[in-house]
Amino acid sequence: MASTSSPVSTSPAGKQAQRLGHRPILTTWDAIAQSLAIGPIFSSAFVAFLIAGSAGGAAPLSTLIGAVGVLALGWLISMYARRGGGAGAIYDYLRRINPSFGLFAAGMYFLGALTLDAGGFLVIGLLGAQVFATYLNLTVPFWVFSFVALALIITVNYLGIRITTRAQLTLSALSVIPLIILAFAIIAQGGNGGNTLQAFNPASVPAVPTSVPAAGIFPGILFAITLFIGFETSASLGEETREPRRSIPRAVIGTVVITGIFYLLVVYASDIGFGLSNSAKWASDPAPLDTLATRYVGSWLAVLVDIAVLFDALVVMSAFMATTSRGLFALARHELLPAPLARISSRFRTPLGSIIFVAVVAVALLVILAITQASVSAAAVPTNVLTVFGIMSTIGSLLIELIYIGLCIAALRFLLQDPAKWWRWLFLLVAIVTPILGIYGSIVPFPAWPQSLGIYIVIAVVVLSLVWTLVNRFVFPQRLGRASEPHPWEVEHIETEAAPAS
């Protein structure tokens, strides 16, 4: 792996030498592949049942409301994308408005993405071990599959973003087939009690102590929002896309629409599959999709569903690595992180230094867990790993949802440029309420230890990001000054600030 390691330069030539990709080659579908890779199948297996646990038979209604909220958030992010962007994604959007705020947001966003990226390999390992144990009767340590997956994903990301996105799109397309077959089979057979619009009726929520019929809808919406986290990751491909101002907004909105329809289909099918009055069975089933596949189609489809979930987990981690490594690269390019993170491969012009850093973090986590588990029984290993993954998921999700709120606040300047378009204020209201609901559902009621550790770490990350921003603001102001300037290749893609958002 050859790489260039010249220091970050402030000259146009120096900046041009650190551009990712030999030339912009990605299309709208490549951008969609990046955002679409953040787990529709994975989320259907590991998040959808949580909606049922809260909203009961009205789980599809919660999913629909959550999708509408995320669609408004996607519209907001598309306004930023129309003004141009680079590998820094959210950082690039916000640094042009206010460099200090952009840096503060970048600290939280990319640490959140890094946490989700590293933690995801734990689940890949557990899924791989489960598949081998169930279908091949072979017991293999989870970390073996984690390391194999990590090596594969590093290779794909190193070879170039087009290979990465095409591989992600191919695996996503293959993985979704078993779930679509399952959903249509359940709907065609009428599920447990027939197809019904009662799945979208708030009265289908189980009785609660407050005697308010729709009380479970609220937490159900919170989990529905979690389904979509990561839909904005196509923004990290800005400088490698032919027409970023057109392709990235389409990818963001298109991803929410595509995944929204898919989630509604799967959640509705699962709801009637178990029966609207049997949501507790759905919520407590460790493998609900397997149960439904065996019942309505056959055990062979359950096998395909398990393989599809494993493949989709690989796609999720590949997409997160692409986003995280490009974000760290963008910060290092502005001298806001150590120079080695700005190194790129000379052959493929991918962010080699940052890819290696993300991999090192993941390896360190896996090694620590592998060593720790030497002192616990084999039966306790999955619980230990899942606890760590749950904490890391809380950290990543909360940090990213905080950035969604920051994007909403910063977008006020766009709306004020053309206040006559009153309907845009409604979109902004829905967009800002969506992540607030997600955060509220994560901290109320306050989780018990050790799950509460994730919240404490989030607070520490926010403080650390603030300190990092203040140090650069007052000790290295020239760095933030340069961060507010567009790169030479971005100029042609940036709208003037006077142009109103469409």
Side-chain angles (χ1 to χ4, degrees), residues 33 72 172 272 287 333 378 412 465:
S172 294
I272 65 170
R333 183 167 55 185
L412 286 171
S465 297

Side-chain angles (χ1 to χ4, degrees), residues 192 270-276 278 281-282 285 288 291-292 295:
N192 186 65
S270 299
D271 196 19
I272 65 170
F274 280 98
L276 272 64
N278 298 322
K281 293 182 179 179
W282 177 14
D285 193 320
T291 300
L292 292 172
R295 176 179 176 183

